[in-house]
Amino acid sequence: MEIITIYVLVYAYIQKKDIRLKMFKSGMPVKGKNFIDRTEHLKKFNIYLQNHQHIMIKAPRRYGKTSLVVQLFELNDYKKIYVDIKRATSLKQLASQIIDEVYAIAGFSGIIQKASKSITTLFKQLRASVSLNIDTIELTLEKLELNTKNEIEEMEYFLYSLDLVEKIAQEKDINIKFAMDEFQDILNIASSSILDKVRSVMQDHQNVTYIFLGSIETIMNKIFSSKSSPFFHFTRVIDLGGFDVDELLIYTKKFFDKQDIVYDDSLTKVLHYLEGHPYYSVKTLQIIHYGSLETANKLITTKECIEALTTALYETKPYLEEIIEKVKVKKHHHIVLWSLANEKKVENLDSPTLYKTYSSLQDMGYIKKQQRGEYIITDIFLKIMLQQNNDISFTIDNKIIFKDLVLKGKK
Ligand SMILES: Nc1ncnc2c1ncn2[C@@H]1O[C@H](COP(=O)(O)OP(=O)(O)OP(=O)(O)O)[C@@H](O)[C@H]1O
Ligand SMILES: [Mg+2]
């Protein structure tokens, strides 16, 4: 009898712990138990990485690119480097970060900071603690010294950092998985000639597998899929769509079932309405869940779903308004985007101008061309915002119209 009681208690504890870990989380890349869906992607990417196949993953903003790579790294014991090029202020800084990370893989932390103090001391420390070729160490110190004195071209320094990753991987007889997030932003810190140079260095690398991530599809296509680009055929290109809504639903229902939260059909409909957009889906679910915890209401119906959607939209409003401001300063962009959201024909605009505007909106990452040549807005909340009759519905009335969302009736 006692054994059974203990068993029940332990089981209950595990269940509870499991639930606690599996909360919906938004606002930062997720991993571990918070990571949802993407089963097929994880399987496929792992096969690529294990076979040293370079990959490029493109998807609009907040589709979960970073989370996917973080989770890939979490689940596998790879030697890895991750850099976010959007955050790099210059090529030099990026190169230093790469050098720092690869020396950490070799077993030596903080090389850049130590180099700024004394190269001689650093040399002694490296000799004593790192099993690398003396030539490799000496060359690194030479480059670091030149960099400190500002006597090295930043391009040379950057290309050196890439070669160093290969060199150290070779010496250690390992394969390093090297993720470059928001890769298209490299064109913001260097001229376009960098692509040729980087490719010619990377193509000789046998011990590094590159993962390029990017959110501006047209630029990523230009870099990786255009025949004239140096990166053409260098990677497997993967277009990361939204969540598989059915998989997300299975996860969500299991999650709520475990907590004895009951839901009607609205939950399914809302998740379909959000088109599998990872961030907005997770955010809405999180709000529903928190609402249920706060009010001890264990029933999710149309009311809870609409309230959660509304809150999620409000919380995203500053981000969406920023996008709309950016769009408004460019000629015709706003009306074209608005017409797309409202399925209206754009009036008084000739075809070449319309086409140019579509291209530009694509370059900004806000719309995407579908197979049949139609354009869609990649951000479902942006679309909803553009569908409101006027700004008042958003601010004063507090009544947002969710066009195309039918929660009652149809089952
Ligand atoms: N697989 C996932 N499981 C659970 N939540 C996810 C997943 N992917 C994305 N999300 C949700 O979406 C948010 C954005 O994810 P992430 O930062 O990985 O996207 P991103 O495509 O790298 O975005 P950005 O373009 O802003 O860099 C996360 O904070 C999380 O709430
Ligand atoms: Mg990201």
Side-chain angles (χ1 to χ4, degrees):
M1 189 65 182
E2 269 181 12
I3 292 175
I4 294 173
T5 316
I6 292 169
Y7 173 79
V8 170
L9 285 175
V10 169
Y11 181 76
Y13 174 75
I14 293 171
Q15 290 286 87
K16 209 172 155 198
K17 196 168 168 215
D18 200 32
I19 288 166
R20 189 156 42 92
L21 287 170
K22 274 190 181 174
M23 293 273 266
F24 296 106
K25 202 168 153 190
S26 71
M28 63 187 80
V30 292
K31 62 179 182 182
K33 295 262 184 192
N34 293 117
F35 190 87
I36 309 169
D37 189 12
R38 307 295 197 200
T39 330
E40 286 304 311
H41 286 101
L42 284 171
K43 207 160 53 182
K44 191 156 113 184
F45 292 166
N46 257 328
I47 294 173
Y48 289 155
L49 293 187
Q50 277 155 13
N51 288 286
H52 305 174
Q53 167 65 56
H54 310 305
I55 51 181
M56 182 277 257
I57 305 170
K58 58 176 179 173
R61 288 290 318 272
R62 297 172 162 189
Y63 262 54
K65 301 172 292 294
T66 307
S67 298
L68 188 66
V69 169
V70 171
Q71 177 73 348
L72 262 176
F73 285 169
E74 174 86 359
L75 295 179
N76 299 277
D77 194 18
Y78 293 131
K79 297 287 177 209
K80 55 194 178 271
I81 296 180
Y82 169 87
V83 293
D84 183 355
I85 300 188
K86 192 183 226 95
R87 282 172 42 196
T89 49
S90 66
L91 264 191
K92 261 183 176 219
Q93 185 249 318
L94 187 59
S96 293
Q97 190 190 342
I98 294 169
I99 295 171
D100 220 41
E101 293 213 19
V102 75
Y103 264 91
I105 291 178
F108 191 86
S109 299
I111 190 170
I112 297 295
Q113 199 218 350
K114 287 171 185 154
S116 64
K117 290 183 184 146
S118 157
I119 293 283
T120 329
T121 317
L122 177 58
F123 180 66
K124 284 185 199 143
Q125 289 172 338
L126 282 167
R127 286 297 313 268
S129 58
V130 171
S131 60
L132 286 176
N133 245 316
I134 180 85
D135 297 347
T136 307
I137 295 176
E138 278 179 356
L139 187 60
T140 302
L141 292 183
E142 189 188 313
K143 300 283 183 193
L144 292 182
E145 198 167 17
L146 287 173
N147 180 47
T148 315
K149 293 183 186 158
N150 255 331
E151 286 172 5
I152 186 168
E153 282 279 322
E154 61 172 4
M155 184 69 81
E156 185 190 335
Y157 184 52
F158 179 65
L159 296 178
Y160 165 73
S161 73
L162 297 182
D163 271 334
L164 179 68
V165 177
E166 166 71 6
K167 188 88 189 67
I168 289 184
Q170 268 179 20
E171 284 187 35
K172 293 270 165 203
D173 195 21
I174 52 175
N175 188 279
I176 295 180
K177 312 300 174 199
F178 190 167
M180 298 196 185
D181 209 345
E182 301 295 352
F183 183 70
Q184 77 270 320
D185 284 17
I186 199 135
L187 297 173
N188 294 339
I189 52 172
S191 69
S192 58
S193 68
I194 191 168
L195 297 179
D196 262 320
K197 291 173 182 144
V198 165
R199 162 74 199 250
S200 66
V201 164
M202 285 179 178
Q203 69 188 0
D204 295 329
H205 293 172
Q206 299 296 320
N207 290 54
V208 187
T209 309
Y210 291 99
I211 307 160
F212 302 96
L213 310 174
S215 49
I216 307 290
E217 184 166 9
T218 46
I219 308 183
M220 290 305 273
N221 283 348
K222 265 180 218 148
I223 298 177
F224 291 93
S225 309
S226 132
K227 280 192 186 131
S228 56
S229 162
F231 277 90
F232 185 56
H233 278 166
F234 186 66
T235 63
R236 290 298 298 239
V237 172
I238 292 126
D239 195 346
L240 184 68
F243 280 152
D244 176 332
V245 181
D246 292 329
E247 249 187 89
L248 176 63
L249 265 168
I250 293 172
Y251 178 98
T252 306
K253 287 181 175 173
K254 233 190 232 166
F255 175 84
F256 286 136
D257 288 347
K258 268 190 183 168
Q259 301 188 50
D260 300 323
I261 295 177
V262 188
Y263 42 84
D264 69 10
D265 204 28
S266 319
L267 188 66
T268 306
K269 288 179 175 166
V270 161
L271 290 186
H272 277 288
Y273 175 66
L274 290 173
E275 300 171 350
H277 190 295
Y279 177 67
Y280 297 142
S281 304
V282 167
K283 197 173 173 64
T284 306
L285 287 169
Q286 188 187 42
I287 295 169
I288 293 178
H289 181 220
Y290 283 160
S292 153
L293 291 179
E294 272 165 31
T295 57
N297 169 20
K298 296 233 167 198
L299 186 63
I300 302 170
T301 62
T302 304
K303 177 176 165 282
E304 285 74 21
C305 288
I306 292 287
E307 276 173 10
L309 261 183
T310 308
T311 309
L313 246 168
Y314 267 98
E315 287 181 5
T316 316
K317 206 175 151 212
Y319 168 77
L320 300 171
E321 279 173 343
E322 214 176 282
I323 295 180
I324 291 182
E325 284 313 308
K326 274 191 208 152
V327 163
K328 274 188 175 164
V329 294
K330 296 203 166 197
K331 221 171 169 184
H332 312 306
H333 282 51
H334 186 244
I335 184 68
V336 170
L337 199 61
W338 183 91
S339 305
L340 209 53
N342 291 285
E343 293 167 40
K344 294 249 163 56
K345 202 173 170 300
V346 190
E347 311 257 324
N348 305 327
L349 211 60
D350 58 77
S351 304
T353 316
L354 181 62
Y355 180 77
K356 240 175 75 186
T357 315
Y358 277 141
S359 293
S360 167
L361 283 166
Q362 246 188 311
D363 282 346
M364 295 169 91
Y366 302 141
I367 65 170
K368 197 176 155 105
K369 201 172 187 170
Q370 293 296 79
Q371 267 158 0
R372 274 169 295 151
E374 297 155 5
Y375 289 93
I376 52 155
I377 295 177
T378 52
D379 186 315
I380 172 82
F381 273 15
L382 178 63
K383 187 162 117 187
I384 298 173
M385 183 131 168
L386 289 163
Q387 285 173 343
Q388 303 312 304
N389 291 337
N390 49 47
D391 287 348
I392 294 176
S393 59
F394 223 113
T395 41
I396 301 173
D397 289 356
N398 208 350
K399 268 210 182 80
I400 298 174
I401 300 157
F402 295 103
K403 214 174 147 234
D404 307 324
L405 175 65
V406 186
L407 290 183
K408 283 191 182 133
K410 267 196 236 168
K411 273 230 165 182

